[in-house]
Amino acid sequence: MAYTVLVADDDRAIRESLGRALELEGYRVVGVDDGVQALTRARREAFDVLVLDVMMPGLDGLGVCRVLRADGSRVPVLMLTARVETPDRVLGLDAGADDYLPKPFELDELLARLRALLRRAAPPDGEREPSLSVGDLRLDPAARRVWWAATELTLTKTEFDLLELLMRNAGVVLEHTQVYERIWGYDFGVDSKNLAVYIGYVRRKLAAAGAPPVIRTIRGVGYTVRRS
């Protein structure tokens, strides 16, 4: 299986040379040159690992990592930086990064670190979870794939986690606070529209695949998944 890597670095030479090297190793690479683009792509697409430069214009790598972790994303993150002091490494790890590699780096070391991150993110052998099904809606937690009947849906990390949570509790009404705490790690408050926005994203993708309304809104309480 080809892993998909997001490489974010405002240094074009580093970004392109690293991209070419990763592609030669069999990775599918998406390259961006600033933190805003990195955050946008990481929220919209499923990546197996992120390689983020710490110092980027607009939004730096630390900021990208903090926002993704606040979103509930567990995608492995390798930080690249010219700063080698211990306090700088601590900042990166505290922001939610999984590993930290100072520049200049040896390609072999970066590849080894990526392999280690991907191994840690993979489920242990023999512990593959069974698929979840609600009518014609099927979700494979281990492969992180979703289908309506024969049509496969393309979901972001947060969208997948949200649908998985609802399907694991099919028929049960999950309150807003429960969903926020399970997906994002904390409650955004009664005025937040974040959950409703993501529910809307998932509903639109299900509808585009031909599914009827399987995610139900229980006004004033929360959401549930039920057979239509």
Side-chain angles (χ1 to χ4, degrees):
M1 180 181 69
Y3 292 109
T4 304
V5 184
L6 175 68
V7 176
D9 197 311
D10 62 323
D11 187 318
R12 181 177 178 180
I14 291 177
R15 185 176 68 253
E16 293 185 350
S17 63
L18 180 55
R20 286 193 296 270
L22 290 171
E23 287 173 347
L24 288 173
E25 292 293 319
Y27 292 93
R28 189 177 78 85
V29 181
V30 174
V32 297
D33 59 11
D34 63 51
V36 174
Q37 291 183 68
L39 182 59
T40 300
R41 296 295 292 266
R43 281 174 153 174
R44 291 181 178 173
E45 303 170 40
F47 291 97
D48 296 295
V49 64
L50 309 183
V51 179
L52 305 177
D53 183 36
V54 170
M55 299 299 292
M56 290 187 289
L59 180 65
D60 64 16
L62 298 179
V64 173
C65 193
R66 288 191 187 99
V67 173
L68 289 174
R69 295 305 186 231
D71 282 349
S73 174
R74 296 189 293 272
V75 62
V77 174
L78 172 63
M79 287 286 190
L80 302 179
T81 184
R83 296 178 175 178
V84 297
E85 290 80 8
T86 298
D88 295 312
R89 293 197 299 271
V90 170
L91 281 175
L93 297 173
D94 283 347
D98 298 278
D99 203 354
Y100 197 98
L101 187 61
K103 296 177 179 180
F105 53 83
E106 294 292 333
L107 178 61
D108 285 346
E109 182 178 3
L110 182 140
L111 293 172
R113 288 174 183 258
L114 288 183
R115 290 193 295 269
L117 290 177
L118 291 165
R119 282 196 302 271
R120 295 208 301 264
D125 291 340
E127 294 188 14
R128 185 180 178 90
E129 294 185 73
S131 295
L132 305 174
S133 297
V134 179
D136 287 331
L137 180 61
R138 183 166 61 89
L139 181 148
D140 185 335
R144 296 188 67 80
R145 300 173 69 184
V146 182
W147 297 264
W148 173 261
T151 302
E152 184 169 0
L153 282 66
T154 301
L155 302 182
T156 67
K157 172 71 168 59
T158 301
E159 290 166 0
F160 182 93
D161 290 344
L162 178 56
L163 184 59
E164 181 184 5
L165 176 63
L166 292 171
M167 290 182 68
R168 286 186 184 278
N169 295 275
V172 177
V173 179
L174 295 178
E175 297 180 0
H176 297 91
T177 55
Q178 291 176 295
V179 179
Y180 274 125
E181 288 168 1
R182 291 288 296 276
I183 301 300
W184 285 277
Y186 57 91
D187 188 359
F188 282 70
V190 295
D191 295 327
S192 175
K193 304 298 183 184
N194 207 44
L195 176 55
V197 168
Y198 275 95
I199 289 287
Y201 292 157
V202 178
R203 280 174 168 160
R204 285 194 288 275
K205 291 182 178 181
L206 284 167
V214 294
I215 301 178
R216 311 291 180 85
T217 300
I218 310 302
R219 294 194 178 279
V221 182
Y223 300 95
T224 185
V225 165
R226 293 176 182 162
R227 289 175 183 266
S228 50

